[in-house]
Amino acid sequence: AQRVTQPEKLLSVFKGAPVELKCNYSYSGSPELFWYVQYSRQRLQLLLRHISRESIKGFTADLNKGETSFHLKKPFAQEEDSAMYYCALTGGGSNYKLTFGKGTLLTVNP
Amino acid sequence: GAVVSQHPSWVICKSGTSVKIECRSLDFQATTMFWYRQFPKQSLMLMATSNEGSKATYEQGVEKDKFLINHASLTLSTLTVTSAHPEDSSFYICSAPPLAGRARGGDTQYFGPGTRLTVL
């Protein structure tokens, strides 16, 4: 069975500090991994995906198949990064069914 | 650009009544739509996959007679919560993968803004 685990329900950091949101997954195959963000009172939106290997809003995430992890990192957190972050996976290709982690609420304090 | 809308955005109803929530894909077609449920400050739980022209596929533990899904066209799926009770109060979100391929930025689907259901 596929599963996404985000061990931290809450994460609080100060502005300018590094931040890492952890995500581990289990899937028998080659999944596609995503990070979604949900700002207060806004709809869920894609932040980044492992295939693109890009940096969005200063965030990066590297897929580590050995550790089955896809941690989200940012070297210097900003107050506007405060939001709910969800790690998710699909089976890849045309399999669009997403399995979400429980989410991590990130609060960046001034 | 491609957008998914939901109507209503919020609804309050009495226990025992039925509530219909619409999910529409704007400017694109979708043969599949997904319905999620989100409890406060918790994750999205996939409830069912809505398939145009055929029966919906429900996830384990989701009562199909309780949550009726109808995918009437390539741009509309509806979720009806029948005989709603307070425990059905939640945030319901739909999403739609575009028929023509990947969404913007390579995402698999577009998400609706959600519908807040409160059952008194």
Side-chain angles (χ1 to χ4, degrees), chain B residues 25 37-38 62 64 91:
Chain B
S25 58
R37 184 172 178 176
Q38 185 180 32
V62 177
K64 60 181 180 181
F91 197 56

Side-chain angles (χ1 to χ4, degrees), chain A residues 32 36 43 86 96-97 101, chain B residues 38 42-43 102 107 109:
Chain A
E32 190 168 350
Y36 285 88
R43 73 180 70 194
Y86 295 99
Y96 298 139
K97 195 166 154 181
Chain B
Q38 185 180 32
Q42 292 190 36
S43 187
R102 284 293 180 104
D107 197 1
Q109 53 211 273

Side-chain angles (χ1 to χ4, degrees), chain A residues 9 32 34 36 38 43-46 49 54 84 86 90 92-98 100-103 105, chain B residues 3-4 34 36 38 41-44 46 49 59 91 93 97 101-102 104-109 111-113:
Chain A
K9 199 171 183 177
E32 190 168 350
F34 303 83
Y36 285 88
Q38 189 172 31
R43 73 180 70 194
L44 199 69
Q45 56 185 285
L46 177 67
R49 56 194 187 113
E54 57 192 345
M84 194 74 175
Y86 295 99
T90 69
S94 60
N95 181 350
Y96 298 139
K97 195 166 154 181
L98 279 164
F100 285 90
K102 291 187 182 298
L105 180 61
Chain B
V3 169
V4 171
F34 297 104
Y36 297 87
Q38 185 180 32
K41 296 187 179 180
Q42 292 190 36
S43 187
L44 283 78
L46 179 66
T49 303
E59 295 300 303
F91 197 56
I93 300 172
R102 284 293 180 104
R104 265 191 309 274
D107 197 1
T108 60
Q109 53 211 273
F111 284 87

Side-chain angles (χ1 to χ4, degrees), chain A:
Chain A
Q2 57 197 61
R3 188 183 301 126
V4 176
T5 304
Q6 292 179 251
E8 303 137 331
K9 199 171 183 177
L10 303 170
L11 184 61
S12 183
V13 301
F14 285 102
K15 177 183 172 181
V19 63
E20 181 180 50
L21 288 81
K22 291 185 169 50
C23 172
N24 288 88
Y25 67 91
S26 63
Y27 186 81
S28 55
S30 297
E32 190 168 350
L33 274 294
F34 303 83
W35 274 100
Y36 285 88
V37 60
Q38 189 172 31
Y39 299 102
S40 180
R41 299 182 186 278
Q42 293 188 28
R43 73 180 70 194
L44 199 69
Q45 56 185 285
L46 177 67
L47 180 62
L48 53 80
R49 56 194 187 113
H50 89 267
I51 285 179
S52 60
R53 299 181 65 84
E54 57 192 345
S55 173
I56 304 293
K57 299 184 179 182
F59 285 98
T60 58
D62 290 319
L63 180 64
N64 186 321
K65 292 184 179 180
E67 295 182 359
T68 58
S69 68
F70 188 56
H71 304 325
L72 183 68
K73 300 178 184 179
K74 185 169 182 176
F76 308 103
Q78 302 299 314
E79 289 179 67
E80 55 265 29
D81 295 329
S82 297
M84 194 74 175
Y85 290 82
Y86 295 99
C87 184
L89 69 76
T90 69
S94 60
N95 181 350
Y96 298 139
K97 195 166 154 181
L98 279 164
T99 297
F100 285 90
K102 291 187 182 298
T104 298
L105 180 61
L106 174 64
T107 302
V108 181
N109 301 298

